[in-house]
Amino acid sequence: MGVVFERPKSLTQQKFHYCPGCHHGIIHRLVAEVLDELGLQDRTIAIASVGCSVFAYDYFDVDAIQAAHGRAPAVATGVKRSRPESIVFTYQGDGDLASIGAAEIIHAAARGENITVIFVNNAIYGMTGGQMAPTTLVGQETTTSPQGRNPKNAGYPIRMSEMLATLPGASYIARTSVHDPKHVRETKKAIKEAFQVQVEGKGFSLVEVLSACPTNWHMTPVESLEWIKNEMIAYYPLGKFKSAEEAK
Amino acid sequence: MAKVSFREELCKGCELCKQACPKGIIEMGSHINAMGYHPAQVTDMSKCIGCAFCAWMCPDVVITVEKEGKA
Amino acid sequence: MSKVLMKGNEAIGEAAIKAGCRYFFGYPITPQSELPEYLSRRLPQVGGVYLQAESEVAAINMVYGAASTGARVMTSSSSPGISLKQEGISYLAGSELPCVIVNIMRGGPGLGGIQPSQSDYFQATKGGGHGDYRLLVLAPASVQEIVDLVKEGFDLAEKYRIPVMILGDGILGQMMEPVDLGSETTLEAGEKPWAVTGKMGRTKNIINSLYLDPEKLEKHNRHLEKKYLEIKAKETRSELYQTSDAEIVVAAYGMIARVAKAAVDMAREEGIRAGVFRPITLWPYPEKELNQAAAQAKAVLTVEMSLGQMVEDVRLSLNGRLPVEFYGRVGGMVPTARAVYEEIKRLAKTYGEVK
């Protein structure tokens, strides 16, 4: 018998610290599989951000940098500009990318930085204990929107992919989900395309992955899958918003 | 013929593999692992088709899948 | 090499290039904009990268990224912009990344003004950002010294894996003086085994300032402390002017030390034995050198373009041994040699033997 599925080489043996059913582990694995398949492990530099995925530098078996909250795209810019031959990716959550780091992501995309961004959108601040995020859905209860997000007070959730796709500098923008095996495969395909865009020097690529936070959503991991499918995708439609061919 | 094996010590009992299995052959064990979770296990390996859906969904990279005729 | 006439801000840029710096990330702000303008022309000519960031916050994080790869990298700004960079500076210090940060100070607080000031001394030498850390702070007093200290700054930054700040003021940035730019530094490849460059068969490198385990963070803090103590012991720099017999020692840094020298010359003509102590490193503060300079002194006068910041380090260094008085102008107003001379005369009358 031959192995059809095993742990990718671009992951270390470190056990993930994530809660049961958290999708960070799936997305980490997909990124690592893509790095393996494209033969990029030795030339890759990962930029971890602040949030639950802060320890990403321990999980990816590649050179890595831990960045300040929201600043990963700026750090990645500094890395890529000084080492254009390296493959550089950031791994950021929704608080990091869509709130405190909104300026950095927009300008990295606008400059067409030849980097790849993995954007994990779980509509909540996980690490700090379930507060409202820039991507929290209207009506969604969090510890800082206990009656549900009220747009009159808290405004509306931001569709980052659609917004970034309007920028001429952005070459590849896709939103995917990992709520079932089919969508996991599609996410991997998108991540692979995004890295290929960088390898070919075609500019800024970003994959937004809709992801579950069962602990702070107060759901079981299996219930969380349904919530992504029924609630999140309704507001955050899946798809490719920009491909390298139609860029510029 | 196919075979899935679980690194039980990594399993957090989230049941995403169980949910994904098209043959319904994954159950959570009655025992607990060192982390205190009921780890996933296969009830009838002869029914496994090696689709790897369980492994695709596993957030903790617990599962290895082997299949006849694959090198 | 023959001397060329250069503006302070532009000399910083050319000195950085001579030091092997090929990466600059910045954001425009008066009174230092000639520096990014100069580098935006020059860096592409030498195969380097000039990038105008979306903010000072982004610029310092680009520095963090480039420094992580082992590149020689610089950013510059002026007071309000340096405030914005503090988060990144703390991360650079925590992650032990070498770089050079230039602050051409202007008046504050808030938006303040655009005229010269020395009111960021506390920010530069006492922290600025969060956490127990230090910057190596160099304060040039001439365009030539800018060139020398920028070059030395890059070397010190790499020797100790520490961010270095060049602290100047608007006068220094804007004025022109003849300078000898010296020779080009040749950088050796592969001298930074800690840098992230892609792991290429070795075990992976991580640039990080996060230590959740308190025992590990304490160990990291102690490691930084050890480095800071070594810098304190080895890297103080200062200049003494007429101090060997001085009854009145004027302590001043940067451009104001030059004003102080003129005042001391006036005092000497009147028979007052005065001298100047000029710290070149503001951190580490040259405590021993100040005490030596003030060995014969009856009093020390500190002169600054602030409400009195460095004066605290002067007092700490002298530890109550001598009276320390302060004279300062603020808001972009510059102390004149005449005003400093009057202060020296007043101190000589109060404390001196020669009345």
Side-chain angles (χ1 to χ4, degrees):
Chain A
M1 282 201 291
V3 173
V4 292
F5 191 102
E6 64 183 337
R7 190 180 186 86
K9 288 188 185 61
S10 293
L11 281 184
T12 62
Q13 291 302 315
Q14 180 89 21
K15 189 192 288 181
F16 294 142
H17 72 286
Y18 301 114
C19 302
C22 168
H23 290 172
H24 271 306
I26 300 177
I27 302 162
H28 282 11
R29 192 195 72 230
L30 295 178
V31 171
E33 286 174 357
V34 166
L35 295 179
D36 282 5
E37 287 167 23
L38 296 177
L40 300 176
Q41 183 183 13
D42 269 352
R43 13 178 331 219
T44 294
I45 298 170
I47 321 288
S49 59
V50 172
C52 283
S53 63
V54 67
F55 295 118
Y57 56 78
D58 274 338
Y59 301 138
F60 292 110
D61 193 12
V62 298
D63 272 8
I65 302 172
Q66 200 288 314
H69 200 20
R71 318 296 175 224
V75 174
T77 298
V79 172
K80 190 72 179 187
R81 294 297 183 115
S82 58
R83 286 192 64 82
E85 68 276 30
S86 294
I87 297 299
V88 182
F89 78 93
T90 70
Y91 189 103
Q92 304 174 258
D94 43 70
D96 193 270
L97 182 141
S99 191
I100 197 165
E104 282 78 5
I105 194 66
I106 288 171
H107 285 272
R111 288 189 303 266
E113 293 294 340
N114 194 30
I115 60 171
T116 300
V117 174
I118 307 299
F119 168 35
V120 178
N121 179 0
N122 61 11
I124 207 152
Y125 281 86
M127 188 192 225
T128 46
Q131 294 82 13
M132 189 184 74
T135 50
T136 291
L137 297 180
V138 169
Q140 186 184 341
E141 288 176 20
T142 70
T143 59
T144 51
S145 58
Q147 280 85 42
R149 182 178 187 152
N150 176 358
K152 279 187 184 157
N153 175 41
Y156 291 89
I158 304 175
R159 296 184 180 102
M160 288 305 293
S161 286
E162 287 86 335
M163 202 167 87
L164 292 169
T166 65
L167 298 170
S171 294
Y172 183 94
I173 307 280
R175 183 186 289 119
T176 65
S177 167
V178 287
H179 68 277
D180 62 29
K182 173 176 168 270
H183 286 90
V184 171
R185 272 179 195 277
E186 282 168 8
T187 298
K188 181 173 172 182
K189 189 166 168 262
I191 291 173
K192 198 165 190 173
E193 284 175 357
F195 274 99
Q196 273 162 338
V197 165
Q198 184 181 169
V199 168
E200 290 161 18
K202 289 182 179 165
F204 183 87
S205 54
L206 176 143
V207 181
E208 174 178 350
V209 186
L210 302 183
S211 164
C213 179
T215 299
N216 288 303
W217 290 359
H218 303 290
M219 294 176 199
T220 66
V222 173
E223 288 164 357
S224 300
L225 303 176
E226 288 298 303
W227 200 78
I228 292 178
K229 195 169 124 191
N230 300 326
E231 306 294 329
M232 282 191 85
I233 293 176
Y235 189 83
Y236 298 112
L238 306 182
K240 209 181 283 182
F241 298 94
K242 195 90 172 263
S243 63
E245 294 71 44
E246 60 186 277
K248 311 286 184 302
Chain B
M1 261 269 296
K3 193 183 132 197
V4 289
S5 44
F6 295 74
R7 282 180 66 190
E8 194 178 292
E9 74 280 10
L10 296 178
C11 179
K12 293 173 185 160
C14 72
E15 305 189 11
L16 294 189
C17 56
K18 179 183 165 183
Q19 165 82 8
C21 179
K23 296 290 168 187
I25 56 171
I26 298 177
E27 285 296 335
M28 310 317 286
S30 54
H31 63 296
I32 57 169
N33 65 12
M35 288 191 290
Y37 298 112
H38 293 284
Q41 57 192 39
V42 169
T43 51
D44 185 356
M45 197 67 81
S46 67
K47 288 186 183 159
C48 178
I49 54 169
C51 68
F53 280 14
C54 55
W56 278 92
M57 288 307 291
C58 177
D60 290 287
V61 208
V62 171
I63 305 167
T64 302
V65 184
E66 293 164 277
K67 208 171 171 180
E68 192 95 317
K70 294 270 176 177
Chain C
M1 197 183 149
S2 61
K3 291 194 172 186
V4 289
L5 191 63
M6 283 192 102
K7 201 176 204 180
N9 282 332
E10 298 186 340
I12 297 172
E14 193 55 39
I17 288 173
K18 286 272 190 279
C21 170
R22 291 293 177 271
Y23 304 97
F24 179 91
F25 303 96
Y27 187 85
I29 184 169
T30 308
Q32 60 80 57
S33 293
E34 295 86 355
L35 171 53
E37 284 168 358
Y38 183 82
L39 287 173
S40 70
R41 286 197 304 273
R42 278 288 283 138
L43 277 170
Q45 292 170 358
V46 293
V49 174
Y50 164 86
L51 184 60
Q52 187 163 315
E54 59 270 31
S55 67
E56 285 92 348
V57 176
I60 194 73
N61 282 283
M62 291 172 186
V63 168
Y64 181 87
S68 296
T69 71
R72 282 203 161 181
V73 56
M74 183 167 84
T75 185
S76 72
S77 191
S78 178
S79 309
I82 296 291
S83 290
L84 278 166
K85 288 185 196 291
Q86 291 303 325
E87 174 198 54
I89 293 173
S90 171
Y91 277 70
L92 285 157
S95 302
E96 298 186 86
L97 291 173
C99 65
V100 171
I101 301 155
V102 178
N103 181 4
I104 301 298
M105 290 180 280
R106 58 186 253 186
L111 209 43
I114 59 168
Q115 298 300 322
S117 167
Q118 292 182 320
S119 52
D120 300 346
Y121 180 93
F122 283 155
Q123 186 195 50
T125 61
K126 310 289 179 190
H130 62 282
D132 254 334
Y133 76 91
R134 295 291 187 176
L135 301 179
L136 217 155
V137 184
L138 304 173
S142 68
V143 179
Q144 183 63 57
E145 200 175 36
I146 283 179
V147 169
D148 300 341
L149 289 181
V150 165
K151 290 169 136 185
E152 191 175 3
F154 277 107
D155 291 338
L156 287 168
E158 288 181 2
K159 181 177 176 190
Y160 294 103
R161 289 186 62 185
I162 186 175
V164 168
M165 179 169 279
I166 305 286
L167 194 66
D169 58 62
I171 309 172
L172 197 59
Q174 297 295 324
M175 73 184 201
M176 293 182 88
E177 284 184 317
V179 287
D180 178 354
L181 290 161
S183 59
E184 189 111 6
T185 308
T186 326
L187 299 177
E188 283 166 37
E191 60 191 8
K192 290 167 187 155
W194 48 266
V196 293
T197 54
K199 67 187 208 104
M200 298 287 179
R202 59 162 163 73
T203 52
K204 67 174 189 166
N205 284 340
I206 302 174
I207 300 295
N208 179 36
S209 62
L210 177 66
Y211 299 86
L212 277 186
D213 178 345
E215 281 184 23
K216 285 185 181 155
L217 182 54
E218 186 182 50
K219 200 175 152 206
H220 178 60
N221 287 143
R222 292 291 183 202
H223 162 71
L224 294 178
E225 179 189 39
K226 199 176 150 203
K227 181 164 80 175
Y228 296 148
L229 289 173
E230 188 187 345
I231 295 170
K232 259 179 123 166
K234 290 185 187 165
E235 304 298 349
T236 53
R237 311 267 192 285
S238 62
E239 183 200 355
L240 307 182
Y241 179 74
Q242 306 265 45
T243 54
S244 57
D245 66 342
E247 278 197 333
I248 306 300
V249 168
V250 183
Y253 71 95
M255 283 305 296
I256 301 311
R258 293 170 68 164
V259 175
K261 280 185 191 173
V264 160
D265 289 346
M266 290 160 79
R268 289 259 166 194
E269 276 177 28
E270 299 298 315
I272 300 170
R273 297 204 305 271
V276 176
F277 166 74
R278 177 172 76 89
I280 296 170
T281 53
L282 299 181
W283 194 91
Y285 200 77
E287 292 176 21
K288 270 187 218 149
E289 293 89 328
L290 171 57
N291 275 287
Q292 282 158 13
Q296 306 298 320
K298 299 287 182 279
V300 173
L301 171 69
T302 305
V303 183
E304 297 174 56
M305 288 192 287
S306 79
L307 292 175
Q309 299 194 12
M310 184 185 79
V311 65
E312 293 191 2
D313 281 334
V314 172
R315 289 197 173 113
L316 281 168
S317 301
L318 295 170
N319 201 17
R321 194 167 68 75
L322 289 171
V324 175
E325 298 216 3
F326 176 75
Y327 175 72
R329 294 296 300 271
V330 289
M333 300 301 289
V334 182
T336 60
R338 169 64 56 184
V340 176
Y341 162 70
E342 293 296 337
E343 286 295 305
I344 293 171
K345 215 161 70 173
R346 186 177 65 77
L347 260 69
K349 265 190 194 147
T350 313
Y351 305 105
E353 281 165 8
V354 187
K355 302 278 172 183

